[in-house]
Amino acid sequence: MDNTQVSAPDGSWFLFADWQGVTRISLPGDKVKTDANLDRPYEDKPLVVRPDGRVWSAYGRDLDPVTLKKLE
């Protein structure tokens, strides 16, 4: 797994990101959500799951992986 992919500790979602945005796949199931507003200008930076369940992205914003929204 490379640094642009991360999954929930409980396996309920999987995120992957590229320069176009971040995509979440909810598991189990077939729900896919993409938000192109969550661009990643520094693709070589990792996505990191924080202990509270949020995901840290390259430019210092946390993402809520359940809703796929930026958090200040």
Side-chain angles (χ1 to χ4, degrees):
M1 185 177 290
D2 67 25
N3 65 4
T4 60
Q5 303 173 12
V6 67
S7 60
D10 66 359
S12 61
W13 51 260
F14 173 79
L15 293 182
F16 65 91
D18 59 20
W19 65 274
Q20 293 179 321
V22 179
T23 300
R24 183 192 75 227
I25 300 173
S26 297
L27 303 171
D30 56 358
K31 293 183 180 178
V32 176
K33 182 173 181 179
T34 300
D35 192 331
N37 293 327
L38 300 174
D39 62 292
R40 297 187 74 242
Y42 307 108
E43 291 179 60
D44 58 337
K45 301 291 185 181
L47 296 175
V48 178
V49 180
R50 295 188 187 275
D52 64 2
R54 296 176 178 181
V55 174
W56 178 81
S57 65
Y59 41 62
R61 298 254 184 162
D62 280 354
L63 307 177
D64 178 355
V66 176
T67 61
L68 202 60
K69 297 292 180 190
K70 291 180 191 176
L71 301 171
E72 295 296 332

